[in-house]
Amino acid sequence: MAIRAGVGTSENTDPFQAGKEAAAKLCLNAQEDFFDLLLVFASAKFDPQKLLAGIRSVSPDIPLIGCSSAGEITSRGVSSSSLAIMGIKSDSLRFATGLGCGLKADARAAGHHCAQEAIKTRLSNRHVFIMFPDGLTANGADLIRGAQEVLGTSFPIVGGSSGDDFLFEKTYQYYRNQAYSDAVAGILLGGDALLGIGTRHGWHAIGKEHRVSRARGNIIEKLDGKQAIKLYRDYFGEQAEDLRKLSWAKIGTIYPLGMAIPDERENLIRYAFKATEAGSLVCAAEVPEGSLVRLMIADKEGVLTAAREAALEAKAALKGAKIKAAIIFDSVARKRILGRLAKEEINVIKKALGEPCPIIGFYSYGEQAPLRAQRYIGKSYFHNETVVVLCLAENHTRGK
Amino acid sequence: MYLPNMGIVFAAASALIISAFIYMVVLTEKQRKAKASLEYSLDKLKKTYDELDEQAKIIVRKDLELNTAQEELDKKINSLYTLHKLSKAISSTFDSEKFFSQIDKSFIEELGFNKGLVLLLDKDTRELTLPVLIGYTPEEQGQIKEYCHQNPVLEQFNQPILVAQDSLLDQAKNELLPTLKVNSFCAVPIISQEAMLGLMIVGNDLPYTQATEGDLEILSILAGQIAGGLENVRLYEQLWHSHQDLEQRVAERTKELALANEKLKKIDKLKSEFVSAVSHELRTPLTSIKGYAAILMAGKLGEVPEAVKERLKKINLHSDTLTKMVNDLLDISRIEAGKVTMKLQSLNIKEAVTEAVDLIAPQLKEKKIQLSIEVAENLPSCLADKIQLERVLTNLLGNALKFTGEKGKISLKAKEEKDALQIDVQDSGIGIAKEELSNIFEEFYRADNPINQKVKGTGLGLALVKRIIEAHQGKIWVSSEPKKGTTFSFTLPKA
């Protein structure tokens, strides 16, 4: 019933060497040569194929899954242009992986296929499905629906969308020995273990509600009957003049759009990472036509408080069991708004989790998590600006 | 019967209708009023809502401004920290490689960039090096090096400058953007004493972080620090080189001196051997001269007239002086050459002193010189050669006697020192001039004074004394004041 985990990192600029170095450090830190699963998060700058080859030169044949990111997280804090690997070894946890391709063409089908492949491996006691979809091409909400067709609507799905250091150009998904783009890599966790999931963002709605008057999938074309981008022009005035240029990523991520969900404390957030020439907003997931959205705003303290609450929520679900590993899916927007305090968010999470444990995570372009995770009955949604904390612990209550 | 009833009914009905009508009229009026007030409230609410939205706009604008300012501030704080760190590193090392190694990935990142390079120009060789190249793959590093070597990059960026994709600069400057794989960069020359030592460039390939004027300021300070550091390194290296140079020269000189000393020693030895040989050769004919003079004087070869006898006496006397001189010379050279071994034995100083004093007693009486001997009771014995010690004492006492006028004073003191016995021979004589003190132990040196001009001497006495004392592992020194007197002191080992 043991779960052992460790983390290895590298800042080497050569992708092969970085992979080799991080994998070797992982073995050294965890005092293990073989793992049952490798979670890999790395800067998109690395040639992904060479990176994986480097990792494989040390740890061949182990199930490997992960994605490129906009910053890597370990218990030591936050780094960029680096590589972080977590190795998990357990005689009680079971893993089944799946892959879905062609997100842009049909995200729902890709999500369906990914979950279908994972579910083929018969796992007793399924706990959670972790997904790493392309953060630029997918309609995240559609993707989740696809996976839910297979797993059931209330089965918990968590994860983060791949990033590329804020470039918003091309991201990668790592699956076994291959790197993909426009794909989703998924992993089903089963077996005997305890899991805790916490989700928060800390953004607040401000100003009027606006009706999405025309939308196609993850693209909002019109808000209140006007060009979607007009909303931002209206609110930010001159500062938003250059919305299609460099500052867009900043405004779009720090001030996203939020949708109210009945009975849920926090709004569901959608951020637009791109504005088209026609003035439409490209979001990380769909915003259905007719829905009412509001501009969202956040302050650093609120963001940090949200992180603490997410960690506490995840920890509470373990009912006092010792945390063996923590995985954090953290929105790039949070890194952006916290600036120098980005490391502080990880410290806040560490402090909330209490005892030290191996931590891995990455800054993502979108997050997936159930809305009311602690009750395990909530439907999973696609989020933005959110931090998702997933904790693993050994289950010692069974059989007693 | 019916009619009045009907009338009542009609009246009642009419009243009912009228009252209903009145009621309706009143009701519509109320409703109308309520509606109007509702509409008014709604309108007000809508207005407030719009106003709130306008306020929201102000809030988000301010918030964006605040965030932007905060970002710039964060960057500055980071940069300052980084600057402080580097300053410390620079001032604590004189090794340029070491402080360039401080400019690493995390350093560049703390400045808010992800790529950085430093170009350095060697003053003498005009060679361009890139000690810092961060954020690039080995392949890219090669390309950048090649570009820097082929283009006049240093000349192009002799002023701090901010280059971004949309900045309107000349083609050559903008050309560096794709070469360095950045969206924007800051270039700052490293200048020390009007000379351009190199160039520092930091840049970003991230679209959301553009280099700013603030970055340029910080970077200029940084470049100044680096220039200062490089100057320090250069000065230190110069100092080190000159120090090395000096040390080498000292070593060379020492070697030369050692050689010269060796040569001198050889010459000295040759001299001693020569003197020894010559003295030895001189003694034989001298003995013959003395012998023949004695034969003549004895009148064995016939009567010798008085006048001749007198001359023969002089021959004898001068031969004796010459023999003594030759003997002293021979002794000096033999002691020097280590050919004479001191027959060391435990000696009572008091006895040795008394014996020596006895020898000069007649002269003391003649010159009415007062001699005091102060030898501490129970003074330990010394370790010395009896004959040689007597020679030392007679020589020193003889000297004292020679240079002390009538009714003068001579004292002889012996005392115990830390690990030796010290004997002082003090006189109240004419003394020795300061500038001559250092020479008096040399062979054939005779102090320039009236007595020496009158009284003949070999100039070998003190030289011999010094050799004897040194052969005993002792020390000899002199202190003197003209017209007041002289004190010779020497030490001998304890038995």
Side-chain angles (χ1 to χ4, degrees):
Chain A
M1 279 204 269
I3 298 173
R4 290 188 66 176
V7 173
T9 58
S10 172
E11 296 206 340
N12 203 316
T13 50
D14 181 81
F16 184 87
Q17 290 304 326
K20 204 171 151 181
E21 201 175 290
K25 276 194 202 162
L26 163 65
C27 294
L28 203 72
N29 292 344
Q31 303 276 306
E32 289 282 354
D33 290 330
F34 300 101
F35 296 92
D36 298 316
L37 175 72
L38 292 183
L39 284 172
V40 179
F41 305 120
S43 164
K45 277 176 197 164
F46 291 121
D47 178 323
Q49 221 49 62
K50 286 181 187 162
L51 188 84
L52 293 179
I55 298 170
R56 285 313 196 196
S57 72
V58 178
S59 301
D61 307 328
I62 301 166
L64 180 155
I65 196 160
C67 63
S68 61
S69 72
E72 295 72 53
I73 296 168
T74 64
S75 56
R76 281 189 299 159
V78 175
S79 65
S80 55
S81 307
S82 70
L83 159 67
I85 308 179
M86 176 180 265
I88 302 174
K89 189 181 170 74
S90 172
D91 51 8
S92 56
L93 264 177
R94 294 286 174 267
F95 308 102
T97 57
L99 181 79
C101 294
L103 254 64
K104 195 168 189 169
D106 192 343
R108 190 174 187 140
H112 186 104
H113 188 266
C114 177
Q116 191 68 53
E117 203 174 301
I119 212 165
K120 270 188 208 155
T121 312
R122 302 232 165 261
L123 293 184
S124 64
N125 215 358
R126 289 178 202 139
H127 290 288
V128 69
F129 190 55
I130 308 176
M131 287 202 301
F132 302 108
D134 192 310
L136 298 175
T137 60
N139 171 356
D142 219 15
L143 174 82
I144 289 182
R145 273 195 292 275
Q148 281 166 343
E149 284 168 3
V150 179
L151 299 163
T153 43
S154 61
F155 187 77
I157 297 172
V158 299
S161 306
S162 54
D164 63 348
D165 301 303
F166 266 100
L167 290 170
F168 297 102
E169 279 167 5
K170 188 172 188 180
T171 70
Y172 303 101
Q173 299 76 50
Y174 312 135
Y175 183 71
R176 294 183 186 159
N177 297 338
Q178 279 287 321
Y180 299 82
S181 279
D182 193 30
V184 53
I187 183 158
L188 196 58
L189 254 66
D192 199 7
L194 287 173
L195 261 91
I197 303 169
T199 314
R200 286 285 188 284
H201 55 71
W203 260 256
H204 301 283
I206 189 164
K208 275 186 189 172
E209 280 188 327
H210 306 275
R211 184 172 297 276
V212 179
S213 41
R214 198 197 297 164
R216 270 189 304 118
N218 58 331
I219 298 169
I220 307 174
E221 290 179 349
K222 294 217 159 145
L223 281 167
D224 293 334
K226 291 182 276 185
Q227 239 188 3
I229 199 160
K230 281 250 168 72
L231 178 82
Y232 281 90
R233 292 228 174 98
D234 200 21
Y235 275 92
F236 292 94
E238 283 182 9
Q239 293 181 80
E241 273 310 299
D242 265 352
L243 283 187
R244 258 164 275 177
K245 278 201 173 173
L246 300 174
S247 54
W248 173 250
K250 183 154 87 185
I251 296 182
T253 49
I254 297 184
Y255 308 96
L257 300 173
M259 295 186 273
I261 309 163
D263 293 336
E264 192 66 29
R265 217 181 83 185
E266 293 192 310
N267 278 11
L268 187 64
I269 290 184
R270 291 285 176 263
Y271 76 64
F273 60 84
K274 219 154 77 184
T276 65
E277 285 296 323
S280 304
L281 299 174
V282 184
C283 299
E286 67 183 6
V287 182
E289 241 174 50
S291 38
L292 293 168
V293 296
R294 291 174 79 185
L295 196 70
M296 303 291 280
I297 190 168
D299 63 294
K300 290 182 186 188
E301 206 170 314
V303 168
L304 290 178
T305 306
R308 194 182 68 238
E309 285 172 1
L312 287 175
E313 187 178 309
K315 187 183 163 77
L318 299 179
K319 295 168 194 130
K322 190 173 157 50
I323 302 169
K324 292 292 178 170
I327 307 167
I328 300 170
F329 308 106
D330 205 352
S331 167
V332 273
R334 305 176 73 83
K335 187 186 184 197
R336 187 82 201 145
I337 198 164
L338 288 172
R340 271 169 62 78
L341 291 177
K343 195 184 172 194
E344 191 53 32
E345 185 182 24
I346 310 308
N347 284 340
V348 162
I349 292 174
K350 266 160 73 178
K351 213 166 157 190
L353 292 181
E355 69 242 291
C357 62
I359 292 175
I360 197 169
F362 72 101
Y363 287 102
S364 57
Y365 285 178
E367 303 73 40
Q368 301 112 45
L371 281 181
R372 269 168 293 175
Q374 70 269 44
R375 290 199 219 159
Y376 270 69
I377 53 160
K379 194 174 161 185
S380 288
Y381 273 83
F382 187 85
H383 305 258
N384 277 139
E385 327 285 285
T386 300
V387 58
V388 181
V389 180
L390 173 67
C391 292
L392 286 176
E394 290 160 11
N395 186 4
H396 294 290
T397 54
R398 275 168 178 269
K400 272 184 190 170
Chain B
M1 214 170 116
Y2 253 74
L3 265 175
N5 276 354
M6 279 293 282
I8 294 164
V9 168
F10 183 77
S14 304
L16 204 71
I17 288 164
I18 288 163
S19 63
F21 180 76
I22 292 165
Y23 177 77
M24 269 176 73
V25 168
V26 170
L27 201 72
T28 355
E29 185 59 22
K30 243 189 187 166
Q31 257 183 350
R32 203 184 56 78
K33 269 190 183 160
K35 200 185 163 199
S37 116
L38 205 69
E39 266 172 7
Y40 175 74
S41 300
L42 198 70
D43 201 41
K44 210 170 158 188
L45 209 66
K46 219 174 160 187
K47 255 189 191 158
T48 315
Y49 191 46
D50 283 342
E51 263 171 33
L52 275 174
D53 198 45
E54 285 309 311
Q55 282 167 8
K57 283 173 192 170
I58 294 168
I59 291 172
V60 295
R61 279 172 207 181
K62 287 286 161 214
D63 193 64
L64 181 61
E65 264 174 41
L66 208 69
N67 269 323
T68 315
Q70 178 81 54
E71 232 166 67
E72 188 66 16
L73 203 67
D74 280 358
K75 220 158 133 184
K76 272 229 162 124
I77 292 170
N78 259 339
S79 309
L80 284 174
Y81 268 124
T82 318
L83 206 62
H84 176 67
K85 238 169 51 189
L86 189 77
S87 306
K88 252 175 41 189
I90 287 176
S91 58
S92 66
T93 179
F94 289 116
D95 182 351
S96 58
E97 249 174 60
K98 217 172 184 176
F99 78 67
F100 279 125
S101 74
Q102 297 276 332
I103 306 179
D104 56 5
K105 182 169 170 275
S106 68
F107 179 89
I108 298 288
E109 273 176 5
E110 272 165 33
L111 281 177
F113 297 90
N114 59 11
K115 292 181 195 301
L117 54 146
V118 172
L119 285 88
L120 275 191
L121 188 70
D122 193 296
K123 238 181 184 171
D124 307 317
T125 60
R126 307 301 292 171
E127 201 186 319
L128 196 70
T129 53
L130 284 93
V132 176
L133 243 176
I134 286 154
Y136 297 102
T137 61
E139 199 182 317
E140 288 167 342
Q141 286 183 2
Q143 288 165 3
I144 292 168
K145 276 184 189 166
E146 203 182 310
Y147 180 87
C148 292
H149 281 114
Q150 286 169 356
N151 294 278
V153 184
L154 284 188
E155 287 77 14
Q156 276 168 17
F157 295 96
N158 52 10
Q159 293 282 334
I161 197 164
L162 198 81
V163 181
Q165 264 168 347
D166 49 1
S167 53
L168 302 164
L169 295 161
D170 58 86
Q171 193 59 38
K173 283 186 177 111
N174 282 343
E175 196 183 286
L176 209 54
L177 284 167
T179 311
L180 297 178
K181 301 198 172 1
V182 290
N183 282 317
S184 64
F185 69 85
C186 289
V188 180
I190 300 167
I191 295 171
S192 172
Q193 292 169 351
E194 309 298 312
M196 191 159 167
L197 306 178
L199 182 68
M200 182 172 188
I201 299 178
V202 292
N204 244 321
D205 62 359
L206 307 178
Y208 62 93
T209 34
Q210 266 226 11
T212 62
E213 289 293 331
D215 291 328
L216 205 60
E217 278 169 33
I218 293 279
L219 225 61
S220 297
I221 301 171
L222 185 63
Q225 296 271 11
I226 292 175
L230 283 175
E231 186 62 18
N232 280 347
V233 169
R234 199 183 59 78
L235 287 175
Y236 177 77
E237 274 173 3
Q238 227 171 43
L239 199 72
W240 191 78
H241 281 309
S242 64
H243 180 75
Q244 288 295 100
D245 209 36
L246 207 68
E247 267 194 358
Q248 199 186 340
R249 267 199 251 167
V250 167
E252 273 170 21
R253 286 281 180 276
T254 311
K255 209 176 159 190
E256 275 172 29
L257 279 175
L259 273 175
N261 196 24
E262 202 62 33
K263 235 180 197 167
L264 271 176
K265 269 188 187 163
K266 250 185 209 163
I267 292 168
D268 202 45
K269 208 180 158 205
L270 273 175
K271 182 206 76 182
S272 298
E273 278 170 8
F274 173 74
V275 170
S276 172
V278 168
S279 320
H280 197 75
E281 292 307 313
L282 279 173
R283 266 214 312 206
T284 325
L286 261 175
T287 317
S288 308
I289 292 168
K290 256 188 80 132
Y292 290 120
I295 291 167
L296 286 173
M297 273 219 294
K300 282 178 186 167
L301 301 173
E303 199 58 32
V304 181
E306 201 51 37
V308 175
K309 218 177 215 170
E310 210 167 287
R311 305 301 188 278
L312 282 172
K313 254 186 198 161
K314 272 198 177 152
I315 289 177
N316 198 25
L317 188 73
H318 286 294
S319 297
D320 278 347
T321 316
L322 202 56
T323 309
K324 192 181 176 296
M325 215 169 136
V326 168
N327 278 346
D328 280 355
L329 258 181
L330 200 57
D331 281 345
I332 289 173
S333 58
R334 282 163 85 187
I335 292 169
E336 241 177 13
K339 280 180 184 163
V340 178
T341 45
M342 298 292 145
K343 288 171 197 129
L344 298 180
Q345 52 180 310
S346 180
L347 290 179
N348 186 313
I349 298 256
K350 195 154 194 173
E351 279 171 24
V353 167
T354 318
E355 274 173 39
V357 168
D358 282 348
L359 286 172
I360 57 155
Q363 285 120 298
L364 281 174
K365 217 177 246 172
E366 197 181 306
K367 284 179 96 171
K368 290 177 188 141
I369 288 172
Q370 193 191 327
L371 175 78
S372 66
I373 298 170
E374 290 172 40
V375 179
E377 289 299 326
N378 61 44
L379 190 71
S381 306
C382 67
L383 201 61
D385 184 312
K386 197 177 177 220
I387 296 166
Q388 302 296 348
L389 178 60
E390 201 181 289
R391 235 170 149 177
V392 168
L393 286 170
T394 45
N395 248 304
L396 291 179
L397 284 170
N399 263 350
L401 198 65
K402 182 172 158 189
F403 294 109
T404 304
E406 283 199 4
K407 294 178 186 169
K409 277 180 190 168
I410 294 176
S411 76
L412 204 153
K413 293 175 196 166
K415 59 186 175 187
E416 188 179 0
E417 284 294 304
K418 207 173 164 194
D419 39 28
L421 297 170
Q422 183 179 326
I423 296 150
D424 302 323
V425 180
Q426 192 176 10
D427 64 52
S428 59
I430 58 165
I432 306 163
K434 216 177 183 179
E435 55 274 21
E436 291 186 306
L437 277 177
S438 56
N439 298 325
I440 57 166
F441 290 109
E442 280 174 21
E443 291 102 331
F444 301 110
Y445 186 85
R446 302 191 73 216
D448 183 20
N449 58 51
I451 296 173
N452 263 346
Q453 280 158 19
K454 242 191 309 187
V455 186
K456 281 177 185 160
T458 58
L460 287 169
L462 283 175
L464 184 65
V465 165
K466 188 171 193 276
R467 298 294 186 282
I468 292 169
I469 296 299
E470 280 171 359
H472 279 87
Q473 315 300 323
K475 277 191 287 184
I476 184 161
W477 66 96
V478 62
S479 60
S480 179
E481 206 176 316
K483 291 179 186 165
K484 291 231 167 124
T486 305
T487 306
F488 280 93
S489 308
F490 65 91
T491 61
L492 285 172
K494 285 183 199 170

